[in-house]
Amino acid sequence: MITLIKNTEVYTPDYIGKKDVLITDRRIAKVADQINLQELEWIQYIDGTGKVLTPGFIDGHVHITGGGGEGSFRSRTPELMLSDATTSGVTTVVGVIGTDGTTRTMTNLVAKARALREEGITTYIHTGSYQVPVRTLTGKIEDDIMLIDLIIGAGEIAIADHRSSQPTVDELARIASQARVGGMLSGKSGIVNVHVGDSPDKLQLIDQVIEQTDIPITQFYPTHINRNRKLFEKGIEYAKRGGYVDFTTSTIPTFIEEGEVKSAKALRLMLEAGVPIEQITFTSDAQGSLPDFDHNGRLIGLKVGRVRSLYEAFIEAIHEEEIDITDALKTITRNPASILGLNNKGEIKEGYDADLILLDQQDLSIHTVISSGQMMVKDGEAIVNGTFE
Ligand SMILES: CC(C)C[C@H](NC(=O)C[C@H](N)C(=O)O)C(=O)O
Ligand SMILES: [Zn+2]
Ligand SMILES: [Zn+2]
């Protein structure tokens, strides 16, 4: 299939002006001021007039098999459905396992990641779950990363959380070392996606590993940094030392009332504090549970995260927090691609995967979504559905 998108304002995420973009097979073949092809029935023409073209969104933390369970079996959350991702502009997801590392297995995570690839989006996964020792496929983190193409790192390893395994500094250092070497030996990031909870020690365990070993701060990718104000303040300090920080866009009003910093606002505050945009990302935690525990650790509520919240946070950053569209885009395109080591992803660039979104120039509503060259969404509606949608 050949597709030619004409006359559209292109954000690579950097703005490069009005362009024509040619897609052949699954890749971006050409970006130029003018590309003229004769009218042929096997070429798909898309008029990009009045529209903005951006890279497909990358959601680097999604419980694609479903997660939850903190309220017993009935609170296990549902798996991700394809069109929830595509209608929100998401064309790449990284799958994780969370609290429930027993019924949510690595074999199931691999199967669901492959299913979503068959249905039309790009998927990767992290090996493990909250738990330490890390529950892998092969028995070793480095072997999982080196031998299984889908696996790019380890996570989400829980620290500073009453649901964690209470890992020690040595345990986290060992995990980071194994992920780092596994990544090094297979050309992957070997990143360690760390779940940071509400406990007072916050990012201390990561700081101790960095102080006591020669593992670089960039080996870690801590998420939920916006979950409460005190952690957020520590997150600014951590980021100013060169660390990556990830904000969770799924939320509920109660969390905001209890002091969560909405991800769009967290982005503005981090930028105002002088943190380089390249170190900041948004992820949705979709299909993960959003459990509400009281100060005695008793569960008082539980909702499920949504992929849509990633796009909503992107829009809020631009419309409410007056963040520049290029910076807002970077948090869900080039930055996760770079941090996670996803080749040919996250940019509109010749030779890169044809993951593209056409947004209305006025209200930035999603019109068209193309994933690996295939049109998945047209006029805001899914034209390709998951197997059972
Ligand atoms: C950031 C907060 C609001 C949500 C966060 N979610 C997870 O970590 C995933 C969840 N536990 C699952 O396993 O599905 C949390 O529970 O702290
Ligand atoms: Zn988490
Ligand atoms: Zn999660």
Side-chain angles (χ1 to χ4, degrees), residues 180-218:
R180 179 178 174 76
V181 173
M184 202 180 285
L185 295 172
S186 56
K188 296 178 181 175
S189 68
I191 200 93
V192 180
N193 187 211
V194 178
H195 160 104
V196 188
D198 282 312
S199 303
D201 44 357
K202 305 181 188 65
L203 291 155
Q204 264 170 31
L205 209 59
I206 298 178
D207 286 339
Q208 287 166 336
V209 171
I210 295 157
E211 276 149 32
Q212 295 172 25
T213 72
D214 42 8
I215 294 170
I217 194 168
T218 47

Side-chain angles (χ1 to χ4, degrees), residues 63 67-68 70 98-99 130 156 163 195 224 227 255 285 288-289 291:
H63 294 260
E70 288 97 338
T99 311
Y130 270 27
E156 55 171 327
R163 296 163 293 174
H195 160 104
H224 314 319
R227 68 183 304 147
F255 294 158
D285 209 13
S289 60

Side-chain angles (χ1 to χ4, degrees), residues 63-77:
H63 294 260
I64 58 175
T65 61
E70 288 97 338
S72 190
F73 292 103
R74 65 179 176 282
S75 70
R76 295 168 79 251
T77 61

